[in-house]
Coordinates of all heavy atoms in Angstrom, one line a residue:
M755 N -8.8 -6.8 2.6 CA -8.4 -7.3 3.9 C -7.5 -6.2 4.5 O -6.3 -6.0 4.1 CB -7.6 -8.6 3.7 CG -6.8 -9.0 4.9 SD -6.1 -10.6 4.9 CE -5.2 -10.7 3.4
P756 N -7.9 -5.5 5.5 CA -7.1 -4.5 6.1 C -6.0 -5.1 6.9 O -6.2 -6.1 7.6 CB -8.1 -3.7 7.0 CG -9.2 -4.6 7.2 CD -9.3 -5.5 6.1
F757 N -4.8 -4.5 6.9 CA -3.7 -4.9 7.7 C -4.0 -4.7 9.2 O -3.7 -5.5 10.0 CB -2.4 -4.2 7.3 CG -1.7 -4.9 6.2 CD1 -1.6 -4.2 5.0 CD2 -1.2 -6.1 6.3 CE1 -1.0 -4.7 3.9 CE2 -0.6 -6.7 5.2 CZ -0.5 -6.0 4.0
I758 N -4.5 -3.5 9.5 CA -4.8 -3.1 10.9 C -6.3 -2.7 11.0 O -6.7 -1.9 10.2 CB -3.9 -2.0 11.3 CG1 -2.4 -2.3 11.2 CG2 -4.2 -1.5 12.7 CD1 -1.5 -1.2 11.5
Q759 N -6.9 -3.3 11.9 CA -8.3 -2.9 12.2 C -8.5 -2.8 13.7 O -8.5 -3.7 14.4 CB -9.3 -4.0 11.6 CG -10.7 -3.5 11.6 CD -11.6 -4.4 10.8 OE1 -11.1 -5.5 10.3 NE2 -12.8 -4.1 10.7
G760 N -8.4 -1.5 14.1 CA -8.6 -1.2 15.5 C -7.3 -1.6 16.3 O -7.4 -1.7 17.5
S761 N -6.2 -1.8 15.7 CA -5.0 -2.1 16.4 C -4.3 -0.9 17.0 O -4.2 0.1 16.3 CB -4.0 -2.8 15.4 OG -2.8 -3.0 16.1
G762 N -4.0 -0.9 18.2 CA -3.3 0.2 18.8 C -1.8 -0.1 18.9 O -1.0 0.7 19.4
G763 N -1.4 -1.2 18.3 CA 0.1 -1.6 18.4 C 0.9 -0.7 17.5 O 0.4 -0.1 16.6
K764 N 2.2 -0.8 17.7 CA 3.2 -0.1 16.9 C 4.3 -1.0 16.6 O 4.5 -2.0 17.2 CB 3.7 1.2 17.7 CG 2.6 2.2 17.9 CD 3.2 3.4 18.5 CE 2.0 4.4 18.7 NZ 2.5 5.7 19.2
G765 N 5.0 -0.6 15.5 CA 6.1 -1.4 15.1 C 5.7 -2.5 14.2 O 4.5 -2.7 13.9
P766 N 6.7 -3.3 13.6 CA 6.4 -4.3 12.6 C 5.4 -5.4 13.1 O 4.8 -6.1 12.3 CB 7.8 -4.9 12.3 CG 8.7 -3.9 12.7 CD 8.1 -3.1 13.8
D767 N 5.3 -5.6 14.4 CA 4.3 -6.6 14.9 C 2.9 -6.1 15.0 O 2.0 -6.9 15.3 CB 4.8 -7.1 16.3 CG 6.1 -7.8 16.3 OD1 6.5 -8.4 15.2 OD2 6.9 -7.7 17.3
A768 N 2.7 -4.8 14.8 CA 1.3 -4.3 14.9 C 0.3 -4.9 13.9 O -0.8 -4.9 14.2 CB 1.4 -2.7 14.7
C769 N 0.9 -5.4 12.8 CA 0.0 -5.9 11.8 C -0.3 -7.4 12.0 O -1.1 -8.0 11.2 CB 0.6 -5.7 10.4 SG 0.8 -4.0 10.0
G770 N 0.3 -8.0 13.0 CA 0.0 -9.4 13.3 C 0.3 -10.3 12.2 O 1.4 -10.2 11.6
K771 N -0.6 -11.2 11.9 CA -0.3 -12.2 10.8 C -0.7 -11.8 9.4 O -0.6 -12.5 8.5 CB -1.1 -13.5 11.2 CG -0.6 -14.1 12.5 CD -1.4 -15.4 12.8 CE -1.0 -15.9 14.1 NZ -1.8 -17.1 14.6
R772 N -1.3 -10.6 9.3 CA -1.8 -10.1 8.0 C -0.8 -10.1 6.9 O -1.0 -10.5 5.8 CB -2.4 -8.7 8.2 CG -3.5 -8.6 9.2 CD -4.8 -9.1 8.6 NE -5.8 -9.2 9.6 CZ -7.0 -8.7 9.6 NH1 -7.4 -8.0 8.5 NH2 -7.9 -8.9 10.6
P773 N 0.5 -9.6 7.2 CA 1.5 -9.6 6.1 C 1.7 -11.0 5.6 O 1.9 -11.2 4.4 CB 2.7 -9.0 6.7 CG 2.1 -8.1 7.8 CD 1.0 -8.9 8.3
K774 N 1.8 -12.0 6.4 CA 2.0 -13.4 6.0 C 0.8 -13.9 5.2 O 1.0 -14.6 4.2 CB 2.3 -14.3 7.2 CG 3.6 -14.0 7.8 CD 3.9 -14.9 9.0 CE 5.3 -14.6 9.6 NZ 5.6 -15.4 10.7
K775 N -0.4 -13.5 5.6 CA -1.6 -13.9 4.8 C -1.5 -13.3 3.4 O -1.8 -13.9 2.4 CB -2.8 -13.5 5.5 CG -3.2 -14.3 6.7 CD -4.5 -13.9 7.4 CE -4.8 -14.7 8.6 NZ -6.1 -14.3 9.2
C776 N -1.1 -12.1 3.4 CA -1.0 -11.3 2.1 C 0.0 -12.0 1.2 O -0.2 -12.2 0.0 CB -0.7 -9.9 2.4 SG -0.6 -8.9 0.9
A777 N 1.2 -12.3 1.8 CA 2.2 -13.0 1.0 C 1.7 -14.3 0.5 O 2.0 -14.7 -0.7 CB 3.5 -13.2 1.9
A778 N 1.0 -15.1 1.3 CA 0.4 -16.4 0.8 C -0.6 -16.1 -0.3 O -0.6 -16.9 -1.3 CB -0.3 -17.1 2.0
L779 N -1.4 -15.1 -0.2 CA -2.3 -14.8 -1.3 C -1.5 -14.4 -2.6 O -1.9 -14.9 -3.7 CB -3.2 -13.7 -1.0 CG -4.3 -14.0 0.1 CD1 -5.1 -12.7 0.5 CD2 -5.2 -15.1 -0.4
L780 N -0.5 -13.7 -2.5 CA 0.3 -13.3 -3.7 C 1.0 -14.6 -4.3 O 1.0 -14.7 -5.5 CB 1.4 -12.3 -3.3 CG 1.0 -10.9 -3.0 CD1 2.2 -10.1 -2.4 CD2 0.4 -10.2 -4.2
Q781 N 1.4 -15.5 -3.5 CA 2.0 -16.7 -3.9 C 1.0 -17.7 -4.5 O 1.4 -18.5 -5.4 CB 2.8 -17.3 -2.7 CG 3.7 -18.4 -3.1 CD 4.5 -18.9 -1.9 OE1 4.0 -19.0 -0.8 NE2 5.7 -19.3 -2.2
S782 N -0.2 -17.6 -4.1 CA -1.2 -18.6 -4.5 C -1.6 -18.6 -6.0 O -2.0 -19.6 -6.5 CB -2.5 -18.4 -3.7 OG -3.2 -17.3 -4.2
G783 N -1.4 -17.5 -6.6 CA -1.8 -17.4 -8.0 C -3.4 -17.2 -8.2 O -3.9 -17.3 -9.3
A784 N -4.1 -17.1 -7.1 CA -5.5 -17.0 -7.2 C -6.0 -15.7 -7.7 O -7.2 -15.5 -8.1 CB -6.1 -17.3 -5.8
Y785 N -5.2 -14.7 -7.7 CA -5.6 -13.3 -8.2 C -4.7 -12.8 -9.3 O -3.5 -13.0 -9.3 CB -5.5 -12.3 -7.0 CG -6.3 -12.8 -5.8 CD1 -5.8 -13.5 -4.8 CD2 -7.7 -12.4 -5.8 CE1 -6.6 -13.9 -3.7 CE2 -8.5 -12.8 -4.7 CZ -8.0 -13.5 -3.7 OH -8.8 -13.9 -2.7
D786 N -5.3 -12.2 -10.3 CA -4.5 -11.6 -11.4 C -3.9 -10.3 -10.9 O -2.8 -10.0 -11.3 CB -5.4 -11.3 -12.6 CG -5.9 -12.6 -13.2 OD1 -5.2 -13.6 -13.1 OD2 -7.1 -12.6 -13.7
V787 N -4.6 -9.5 -10.1 CA -4.2 -8.2 -9.7 C -4.4 -8.1 -8.2 O -5.5 -8.4 -7.7 CB -4.9 -7.0 -10.4 CG1 -4.4 -5.7 -9.9 CG2 -4.7 -7.1 -11.9
V788 N -3.4 -7.6 -7.4 CA -3.5 -7.4 -6.0 C -3.1 -5.9 -5.8 O -2.0 -5.5 -6.2 CB -2.6 -8.3 -5.2 CG1 -2.7 -8.0 -3.7 CG2 -3.1 -9.8 -5.4
I789 N -4.0 -5.2 -5.1 CA -3.7 -3.8 -4.8 C -3.4 -3.7 -3.3 O -4.3 -4.0 -2.5 CB -4.8 -2.9 -5.2 CG1 -5.1 -3.0 -6.7 CG2 -4.5 -1.4 -4.8 CD1 -6.3 -2.3 -7.2
L790 N -2.2 -3.3 -2.9 CA -1.8 -3.1 -1.5 C -1.9 -1.6 -1.3 O -0.9 -0.8 -1.3 CB -0.4 -3.6 -1.3 CG -0.2 -5.1 -1.6 CD1 1.2 -5.6 -1.5 CD2 -1.2 -6.0 -0.8
D791 N -3.1 -1.2 -1.0 CA -3.4 0.3 -0.8 C -2.8 0.8 0.4 O -2.9 0.3 1.5 CB -5.0 0.4 -0.8 CG -5.4 1.9 -1.0 OD1 -4.7 2.6 -1.7 OD2 -6.4 2.2 -0.4
E792 N -2.0 1.9 0.2 CA -1.3 2.7 1.2 C -0.3 1.9 2.0 O 0.1 2.2 3.1 CB -2.3 3.3 2.2 CG -3.3 4.3 1.6 CD -2.7 5.5 1.0 OE1 -1.5 5.8 1.3 OE2 -3.3 6.3 0.3
I793 N 0.2 0.9 1.3 CA 1.3 0.0 2.0 C 2.5 0.9 2.2 O 3.3 0.6 3.2 CB 1.6 -1.3 1.2 CG1 2.4 -2.2 2.1 CG2 2.2 -1.0 -0.1 CD1 2.4 -3.6 1.6
N794 N 2.8 1.8 1.3 CA 4.0 2.6 1.5 C 3.9 3.5 2.8 O 4.9 3.7 3.5 CB 4.3 3.5 0.3 CG 4.7 2.7 -0.9 OD1 5.5 1.7 -0.7 ND2 4.2 3.0 -2.0
I795 N 2.8 3.9 3.2 CA 2.6 4.6 4.4 C 2.8 3.7 5.6 O 3.5 4.1 6.6 CB 1.2 5.3 4.5 CG1 1.0 6.4 3.5 CG2 0.9 5.8 5.9 CD1 1.8 7.6 3.7
A796 N 2.3 2.5 5.5 CA 2.6 1.5 6.6 C 4.1 1.2 6.7 O 4.6 1.1 7.9 CB 1.8 0.2 6.3
L797 N 4.8 1.2 5.6 CA 6.2 1.1 5.7 C 6.9 2.3 6.3 O 7.8 2.2 7.2 CB 6.8 0.8 4.3 CG 6.5 -0.6 3.7 CD1 6.8 -0.6 2.2 CD2 7.2 -1.7 4.4
H798 N 6.4 3.5 5.9 CA 7.0 4.7 6.4 C 6.8 4.8 8.0 O 7.6 5.3 8.7 CB 6.3 5.9 5.7 CG 6.8 7.2 6.2 ND1 8.0 7.7 5.9 CD2 6.1 8.2 6.9 CE1 8.1 8.9 6.4 NE2 7.0 9.2 7.1
L799 N 5.6 4.3 8.4 CA 5.3 4.3 9.9 C 5.9 3.1 10.6 O 5.7 2.9 11.8 CB 3.8 4.4 10.1 CG 3.1 5.6 9.6 CD1 1.6 5.5 9.7 CD2 3.6 6.9 10.3
H800 N 6.7 2.3 9.9 CA 7.3 1.1 10.5 C 6.3 0.1 11.0 O 6.6 -0.6 12.0 CB 8.3 1.5 11.6 CG 9.4 2.5 11.1 ND1 10.4 2.2 10.2 CD2 9.5 3.8 11.3 CE1 11.1 3.2 9.9 NE2 10.6 4.3 10.6
L801 N 5.2 0.0 10.4 CA 4.2 -1.0 10.8 C 4.5 -2.3 10.1 O 4.1 -3.4 10.5 CB 2.8 -0.5 10.4 CG 2.3 0.7 11.1 CD1 1.0 1.2 10.5 CD2 2.2 0.5 12.6
L802 N 5.3 -2.2 9.0 CA 5.7 -3.4 8.2 C 7.2 -3.1 8.0 O 7.7 -2.0 8.0 CB 5.0 -3.5 6.9 CG 3.5 -3.6 6.9 CD1 3.0 -3.4 5.5 CD2 3.2 -5.0 7.4
T803 N 7.9 -4.2 7.6 CA 9.3 -4.0 7.2 C 9.4 -4.1 5.7 O 8.7 -4.9 5.1 CB 10.2 -5.1 7.9 OG1 9.8 -6.4 7.4 CG2 10.1 -5.1 9.4
V804 N 10.4 -3.3 5.2 CA 10.6 -3.4 3.8 C 11.0 -4.8 3.3 O 10.6 -5.3 2.3 CB 11.7 -2.3 3.4 CG1 12.0 -2.4 1.9 CG2 11.2 -0.9 3.7
S805 N 11.8 -5.4 4.1 CA 12.3 -6.8 3.8 C 11.1 -7.7 3.7 O 11.1 -8.6 2.8 CB 13.3 -7.3 4.8 OG 12.8 -7.3 6.1
A806 N 10.1 -7.6 4.5 CA 9.0 -8.5 4.4 C 8.2 -8.3 3.2 O 7.7 -9.2 2.5 CB 8.1 -8.4 5.7
V807 N 8.0 -7.0 2.8 CA 7.3 -6.7 1.6 C 8.1 -7.2 0.4 O 7.5 -7.8 -0.6 CB 6.9 -5.2 1.5 CG1 6.3 -4.8 0.2 CG2 6.0 -4.8 2.7
L808 N 9.3 -6.9 0.3 CA 10.2 -7.4 -0.8 C 10.1 -8.9 -1.0 O 10.0 -9.4 -2.1 CB 11.6 -6.9 -0.6 CG 11.9 -5.4 -0.8 CD1 13.3 -5.1 -0.4 CD2 11.7 -5.0 -2.2
E809 N 10.2 -9.6 0.2 CA 10.1 -11.0 0.1 C 8.8 -11.5 -0.4 O 8.7 -12.4 -1.3 CB 10.3 -11.6 1.6 CG 10.4 -13.1 1.6 CD 10.6 -13.6 3.1 OE1 11.4 -12.9 3.8 OE2 10.0 -14.6 3.4
A810 N 7.7 -10.9 0.0 CA 6.4 -11.2 -0.5 C 6.2 -11.0 -2.0 O 5.7 -11.8 -2.7 CB 5.3 -10.5 0.3
L811 N 6.8 -9.8 -2.4 CA 6.7 -9.5 -3.9 C 7.6 -10.5 -4.7 O 7.1 -10.9 -5.8 CB 7.2 -8.1 -4.1 CG 6.3 -7.0 -3.5 CD1 6.9 -5.6 -3.6 CD2 4.9 -7.0 -4.2
K812 N 8.7 -10.8 -4.2 CA 9.6 -11.8 -4.9 C 9.0 -13.1 -5.0 O 9.2 -13.9 -6.0 CB 11.0 -11.8 -4.3 CG 11.8 -10.6 -4.5 CD 13.1 -10.6 -3.7 CE 13.8 -9.3 -3.9 NZ 15.0 -9.2 -3.0
G813 N 8.1 -13.5 -4.0 CA 7.5 -14.8 -4.0 C 6.2 -14.9 -4.7 O 5.5 -16.0 -4.7
R814 N 5.7 -13.8 -5.3 CA 4.4 -13.8 -5.9 C 4.4 -14.8 -7.1 O 5.4 -15.1 -7.7 CB 4.0 -12.4 -6.4 CG 4.7 -11.9 -7.5 CD 4.3 -10.4 -7.8 NE 4.8 -9.9 -9.0 CZ 6.0 -9.4 -9.1 NH1 6.8 -9.3 -8.1 NH2 6.4 -8.9 -10.3
A815 N 3.2 -15.2 -7.4 CA 3.0 -16.2 -8.5 C 3.2 -15.5 -9.8 O 3.0 -14.3 -10.0 CB 1.6 -16.7 -8.5
P816 N 3.8 -16.2 -10.8 CA 4.0 -15.6 -12.1 C 2.6 -15.1 -12.7 O 1.6 -15.8 -12.5 CB 4.5 -16.8 -13.0 CG 5.1 -17.7 -12.0 CD 4.2 -17.6 -10.8
G817 N 2.6 -13.9 -13.3 CA 1.4 -13.4 -13.8 C 0.5 -12.6 -12.9 O -0.5 -12.0 -13.2
T818 N 0.9 -12.6 -11.6 CA 0.2 -11.8 -10.6 C 0.8 -10.4 -10.6 O 2.0 -10.2 -10.3 CB 0.3 -12.4 -9.2 OG1 -0.3 -13.7 -9.2 CG2 -0.4 -11.5 -8.2
E819 N -0.1 -9.4 -11.0 CA 0.3 -8.0 -11.0 C 0.1 -7.4 -9.6 O -1.0 -7.7 -9.0 CB -0.5 -7.2 -12.0 CG -0.2 -7.6 -13.4 CD 1.2 -7.1 -13.9 OE1 1.7 -6.1 -13.4 OE2 1.7 -7.8 -14.8
V820 N 1.0 -6.6 -9.1 CA 0.8 -6.0 -7.7 C 0.9 -4.5 -7.9 O 1.9 -4.0 -8.5 CB 1.8 -6.6 -6.7 CG1 1.6 -6.0 -5.4 CG2 1.8 -8.1 -6.7
V821 N 0.0 -3.8 -7.3 CA 0.0 -2.3 -7.2 C 0.2 -1.9 -5.8 O -0.6 -2.3 -4.9 CB -1.3 -1.7 -7.8 CG1 -1.3 -0.2 -7.7 CG2 -1.6 -2.2 -9.2
L822 N 1.3 -1.1 -5.6 CA 1.5 -0.6 -4.2 C 1.2 0.9 -4.3 O 1.6 1.6 -5.2 CB 3.0 -0.8 -3.9 CG 3.6 -2.1 -4.0 CD1 5.1 -2.1 -3.7 CD2 2.8 -3.1 -3.2
T823 N 0.4 1.4 -3.3 CA 0.1 2.8 -3.3 C 0.6 3.5 -2.0 O 1.0 2.8 -1.1 CB -1.4 3.0 -3.4 OG1 -2.0 2.7 -2.2 CG2 -2.0 2.3 -4.6
G824 N 0.6 4.8 -2.0 CA 0.9 5.6 -0.9 C 2.2 6.4 -1.1 O 3.0 6.0 -1.9
R825 N 2.3 7.4 -0.3 CA 3.5 8.2 -0.3 C 4.7 7.6 0.4 O 4.5 6.6 1.1 CB 3.2 9.6 0.4 CG 2.1 10.3 -0.2 CD 1.8 11.6 0.6 NE 0.6 12.2 0.0 CZ 0.3 13.5 0.2 NH1 1.1 14.2 0.9 NH2 -0.7 14.0 -0.4
Y826 N 5.8 8.2 0.1 CA 7.1 7.8 0.8 C 7.5 6.3 0.5 O 8.0 5.6 1.3 CB 7.0 7.9 2.3 CG 6.4 9.2 2.8 CD1 5.2 9.2 3.5 CD2 7.0 10.4 2.5 CE1 4.6 10.4 4.0 CE2 6.4 11.6 3.0 CZ 5.2 11.6 3.7 OH 4.7 12.7 4.1
A827 N 7.4 5.9 -0.8 CA 7.8 4.6 -1.2 C 9.3 4.5 -0.9 O 10.1 5.4 -1.3 CB 7.5 4.4 -2.7
P828 N 9.7 3.4 -0.3 CA 11.2 3.3 0.0 C 11.9 3.0 -1.3 O 11.4 2.4 -2.3 CB 11.2 2.1 0.9 CG 9.9 1.4 0.9 CD 8.9 2.4 0.3
K829 N 13.2 3.4 -1.4 CA 14.0 3.2 -2.5 C 14.1 1.8 -3.0 O 14.1 1.5 -4.2 CB 15.4 3.8 -2.3 CG 16.3 3.7 -3.5 CD 17.7 4.3 -3.2 CE 18.7 4.3 -4.3 NZ 18.5 3.3 -5.4
E830 N 14.1 0.9 -2.1 CA 14.2 -0.6 -2.4 C 13.0 -1.0 -3.3 O 13.1 -1.8 -4.2 CB 14.2 -1.5 -1.2 CG 15.5 -1.2 -0.3 CD 15.2 -0.2 0.8 OE1 14.3 0.7 0.6 OE2 16.0 -0.2 1.8
L831 N 11.8 -0.5 -3.0 CA 10.6 -0.8 -3.8 C 10.6 -0.1 -5.1 O 10.2 -0.7 -6.1 CB 9.3 -0.5 -3.0 CG 9.0 -1.4 -1.8 CD1 7.7 -0.9 -1.1 CD2 8.9 -2.8 -2.2
I832 N 11.1 1.1 -5.1 CA 11.2 1.9 -6.4 C 12.1 1.2 -7.3 O 11.9 1.0 -8.5 CB 11.6 3.3 -6.1 CG1 10.4 4.1 -5.4 CG2 12.0 4.0 -7.4 CD1 10.8 5.5 -4.9
D833 N 13.2 0.7 -6.8 CA 14.2 0.0 -7.6 C 13.7 -1.3 -8.2 O 14.0 -1.6 -9.3 CB 15.5 -0.2 -6.8 CG 16.3 1.0 -6.4 OD1 16.0 2.1 -7.1 OD2 17.2 0.9 -5.5
M834 N 12.9 -1.9 -7.4 CA 12.3 -3.2 -7.8 C 11.2 -3.1 -8.8 O 10.9 -3.9 -9.7 CB 11.8 -4.0 -6.6 CG 11.3 -5.4 -6.9 SD 10.6 -6.1 -5.4 CE 10.4 -7.8 -6.0
A835 N 10.5 -2.0 -8.8 CA 9.3 -1.7 -9.6 C 9.5 -1.6 -11.1 O 10.6 -1.2 -11.5 CB 8.6 -0.5 -9.1
D836 N 8.5 -2.0 -11.9 CA 8.6 -1.8 -13.3 C 8.0 -0.5 -13.7 O 8.4 0.1 -14.7 CB 7.7 -2.9 -14.0 CG 8.3 -4.3 -13.8 OD1 9.6 -4.5 -13.9 OD2 7.5 -5.2 -13.6
L837 N 7.1 0.1 -12.9 CA 6.5 1.3 -13.1 C 6.3 2.1 -11.8 O 5.8 1.6 -10.8 CB 5.1 1.1 -13.8 CG 4.2 2.3 -13.9 CD1 4.7 3.2 -15.0 CD2 2.8 1.8 -14.3
V838 N 6.7 3.4 -11.8 CA 6.6 4.2 -10.7 C 5.9 5.5 -11.2 O 6.4 6.1 -12.1 CB 7.9 4.5 -10.0 CG1 7.7 5.5 -8.8 CG2 8.5 3.2 -9.5
T839 N 4.9 6.0 -10.5 CA 4.2 7.2 -10.9 C 4.0 8.1 -9.6 O 4.1 7.5 -8.5 CB 2.8 7.0 -11.5 OG1 2.0 6.4 -10.6 CG2 3.0 6.2 -12.8
E840 N 3.8 9.3 -9.8 CA 3.6 10.3 -8.8 C 2.4 11.1 -9.2 O 2.4 11.7 -10.3 CB 4.8 11.2 -8.5 CG 4.6 12.1 -7.4 CD 5.8 12.9 -7.1 OE1 6.8 12.8 -7.8 OE2 5.8 13.7 -6.1
I841 N 1.4 11.2 -8.3 CA 0.2 12.0 -8.6 C 0.4 13.3 -8.0 O 0.7 13.5 -6.8 CB -1.1 11.3 -8.0 CG1 -1.3 10.0 -8.7 CG2 -2.3 12.2 -8.2 CD1 -2.4 9.1 -8.2
K842 N 0.2 14.4 -8.8 CA 0.3 15.7 -8.3 C -1.1 16.4 -8.4 O -1.7 16.4 -9.4 CB 1.3 16.5 -9.2 CG 1.5 17.9 -8.9 CD 2.4 18.6 -9.8 CE 2.5 20.1 -9.6 NZ 3.2 20.8 -10.6
E843 N -1.5 17.0 -7.3 CA -2.7 17.7 -7.2 C -2.6 19.0 -8.0 O -1.8 19.8 -7.8 CB -3.1 18.0 -5.8 CG -4.4 18.8 -5.6 CD -4.7 19.2 -4.2 OE1 -4.4 18.4 -3.3 OE2 -5.2 20.3 -4.0
I844 N -3.6 19.1 -8.9 CA -3.7 20.4 -9.7 C -4.8 21.2 -9.2 O -4.7 22.4 -9.0 CB -3.9 20.1 -11.2 CG1 -2.8 19.2 -11.8 CG2 -4.0 21.3 -12.0 CD1 -1.4 19.8 -11.7
K845 N -5.9 20.5 -9.0 CA -7.2 21.1 -8.5 C -7.9 20.1 -7.7 O -8.1 19.0 -8.1 CB -8.0 21.6 -9.7 CG -9.3 22.3 -9.2 CD -10.1 22.7 -10.5 CE -11.3 23.4 -10.1 NZ -12.1 23.8 -11.3
H846 N -8.4 20.5 -6.5 CA -9.1 19.6 -5.6 C -10.3 20.3 -5.0 O -10.1 21.5 -4.6 CB -8.2 19.0 -4.5 CG -8.7 17.8 -3.8 ND1 -9.8 17.9 -3.0 CD2 -8.3 16.5 -3.9 CE1 -10.0 16.6 -2.5 NE2 -9.1 15.8 -3.1
Y847 N -11.4 19.7 -5.0 CA -12.6 20.3 -4.4 C -12.5 20.7 -2.9 O -13.2 21.5 -2.4 CB -13.9 19.5 -4.6 CG -13.7 18.0 -4.3 CD1 -13.8 17.6 -3.0 CD2 -13.4 17.1 -5.3 CE1 -13.6 16.3 -2.6 CE2 -13.3 15.7 -4.9 CZ -13.4 15.3 -3.6 OH -13.2 14.0 -3.3
Y848 N -11.6 20.0 -2.2 CA -11.3 20.3 -0.8 C -10.9 21.8 -0.7 O -11.3 22.5 0.3 CB -10.2 19.4 -0.3 CG -9.9 19.7 1.2 CD1 -10.8 19.2 2.2 CD2 -8.8 20.5 1.5 CE1 -10.5 19.5 3.5 CE2 -8.5 20.7 2.9 CZ -9.4 20.3 3.9 OH -9.1 20.5 5.2
Q849 N -10.2 22.3 -1.6 CA -9.8 23.7 -1.6 C -10.9 24.7 -1.7 O -10.8 25.9 -1.3 CB -8.8 24.0 -2.7 CG -7.5 23.1 -2.7 CD -6.7 23.3 -1.4 OE1 -6.7 24.3 -0.8 NE2 -6.1 22.2 -1.0
Q850 N -12.1 24.2 -2.1 CA -13.3 25.0 -2.2 C -14.3 24.7 -1.1 O -15.4 25.1 -1.1 CB -14.0 24.7 -3.6 CG -13.1 25.1 -4.7 CD -13.6 24.5 -6.0 OE1 -14.7 23.8 -6.1 NE2 -12.9 24.8 -7.1
G851 N -13.8 24.0 0.0 CA -14.5 23.8 1.2 C -15.4 22.5 1.2 O -16.1 22.2 2.1
V852 N -15.2 21.7 0.1 CA -16.0 20.4 0.1 C -15.2 19.4 0.9 O -14.0 19.1 0.6 CB -16.1 19.9 -1.4 CG1 -16.8 18.6 -1.4 CG2 -16.9 21.0 -2.2
L853 N -15.8 18.8 1.9 CA -15.1 17.8 2.8 C -15.2 16.4 2.1 O -15.9 16.3 1.1 CB -15.7 17.8 4.1 CG -15.6 19.2 4.9 CD1 -16.3 19.1 6.2 CD2 -14.2 19.6 5.0
S854 N -14.6 15.5 2.7 CA -14.7 14.1 2.2 C -16.1 13.6 2.1 O -17.0 14.0 2.8 CB -13.8 13.2 3.1 OG -14.4 13.2 4.4
R855 N -16.3 12.8 1.0 CA -17.6 12.2 0.7 C -17.6 10.7 1.0 O -16.7 10.0 0.6 CB -17.9 12.5 -0.7 CG -17.9 14.0 -1.0 CD -17.9 14.3 -2.5 NE -16.7 13.8 -3.1 CZ -16.5 13.5 -4.4 NH1 -17.5 13.7 -5.2 NH2 -15.4 13.1 -4.8
K856 N -18.6 10.3 1.8 CA -18.8 8.9 2.1 C -18.8 8.1 0.9 O -19.6 8.3 0.0 CB -20.0 8.7 3.0 CG -20.1 7.3 3.6 CD -21.3 7.2 4.5 CE -21.3 5.8 5.1 NZ -22.4 5.6 6.0
G857 N -18.0 7.0 0.9 CA -18.0 6.1 -0.3 C -17.1 6.5 -1.4 O -16.8 5.8 -2.3
I858 N -16.6 7.8 -1.3 CA -15.7 8.2 -2.4 C -14.3 8.5 -1.7 O -13.3 7.9 -2.2 CB -16.2 9.6 -3.0 CG1 -17.6 9.4 -3.6 CG2 -15.2 10.1 -4.0 CD1 -17.6 8.4 -4.8
D859 N -14.2 9.3 -0.7 CA -13.0 9.7 -0.1 C -12.7 9.0 1.2 O -11.6 9.0 1.7 CB -13.0 11.2 0.2 CG -13.2 12.0 -1.1 OD1 -12.5 11.8 -2.0 OD2 -14.1 12.9 -1.1
C860 N -13.8 8.4 1.8 CA -13.6 7.7 3.1 C -14.6 6.5 3.2 O -15.5 6.4 2.4 CB -13.8 8.6 4.3 SG -15.4 9.4 4.3

């Protein structure tokens, strides 16, 4: 479920009701694992508020694992997390002129 699809809005209201739907899904216990792909970028761009994400994470159902991805993770999320990793590029085919591949990179 993308937070923004064709939205030209800016600021925390740009995502509409999607963050509340996401929080409800986390709270429902219907999923064992929820991946919030690139949510840290959305926070960095102020499309979401850190407080709303923290609230959603605190309200998740017991046993629901949540994975947050993206650069620029705010300190509040890092402090709350059980595991924080950073991926460092060692070698990438882009450096050899290979552009993004449909279904893999985009």
